[in-house]
Amino acid sequence: MIKGLIFDLDGVITDTAEYHFLAWKSLAEKIGIEIDREFNEQLKGISRMESLELILKHGGKEEAYTEAEKEELATQKNEEYKTYIKEITPDDLLPGVDTLLKEAKEKNLGMVLASASKNGPAIMESLEIMDLFDGIVDPASLKAGKPDPEIFVKGADMLNLKPEECVGLEDAEAGIESINAAHMFSVGVGSRDAMKEADYAVESTADLDLDTILEKANQD
């Protein structure tokens, strides 16, 4: 019996991917590396430092900076990103998400955010949805990022539920892998090809229907 929903943030609840792209592109340009939207797809769902390592590798500069300098570069990117997310309002909830969250609350389903973003709490405050959630997994507490299942297992723990009693919702391939490894029912948002490993997938958040998700997950 499904009793909890565990959400990724970017691409599921809101879309700050564009802001991440602009901030990474700006940083990359400052250090003489060009990145485009296609390359940016690789940065979805992974941590800030992992993203920076991929950018440095892409530009052939993985050995050019000390760890301390890399930390400083990542901080610069985050500061620019934070100026963008200050503009977020409840209008930035993705289509259908407001209804989904409110229906889940009405059904007394537990809800937790499981995002690699350390800015998750600030974004949720701006979206005015913090009161609908029972908790946020602190990404700083994790030993391993997605596709490791730890973040989703911790999400279930926060609700005092087993992973099998929860549904995980994701838009990144690494995230779906993470949910599946946690032995949780996985719901994917995105193209059929990218979400082929999900237990159930829709192309847009507008297609997320709580009754359908619960029916499919409870049959699993």
Side-chain angles (χ1 to χ4, degrees), residues 11-160:
V12 176
I13 291 175
T14 191
D15 194 354
T16 65
E18 181 67 12
Y19 301 142
H20 279 296
F21 171 62
L22 292 172
W24 278 127
K25 185 173 169 59
S26 170
L27 178 82
E29 281 170 0
K30 286 176 192 159
I31 58 174
I33 299 172
E34 284 294 321
I35 65 168
D36 58 16
R37 289 177 192 281
E38 187 180 354
F39 175 82
N40 188 59
E41 288 298 309
Q42 297 176 48
L43 309 183
K44 289 186 175 177
I46 64 172
S47 74
R48 202 178 302 155
M49 293 308 291
E50 287 172 314
S51 296
L52 178 62
E53 293 290 355
L54 283 179
I55 290 168
L56 293 175
K57 191 174 177 186
H58 177 68
K61 297 191 176 186
E62 58 261 66
E63 304 299 329
Y65 298 94
T66 64
E67 285 307 310
E69 287 168 335
K70 287 178 187 175
E71 289 282 354
E72 174 54 32
L73 289 172
T75 300
Q76 278 181 43
K77 178 265 173 181
N78 193 47
E79 289 308 310
E80 182 162 345
Y81 172 71
K82 285 199 290 197
T83 65
Y84 293 129
I85 61 173
K86 279 182 185 155
E87 308 300 317
I88 288 175
T89 73
D91 289 340
D92 291 303
L93 282 169
L94 286 170
V97 170
D98 188 49
T99 302
L100 180 74
L101 296 177
K102 285 174 178 166
E103 284 182 358
K105 200 71 183 167
E106 282 169 15
K107 291 182 187 288
N108 292 317
L109 293 170
M111 288 188 281
V112 166
L113 185 76
S115 166
S117 173
K118 291 175 182 161
N119 296 301
I123 293 168
M124 288 174 75
E125 290 284 4
S126 296
L127 292 167
E128 297 178 12
I129 57 170
M130 191 69 101
D131 60 334
L132 296 172
F133 279 75
D134 299 284
I136 299 173
V137 179
D138 176 8
S141 72
L142 302 172
K143 294 185 181 71
K146 300 170 188 177
D148 190 276
E150 184 185 11
I151 192 167
F152 284 96
V153 172
K154 279 201 169 185
D157 285 345
M158 288 180 92
L159 294 170
N160 294 314

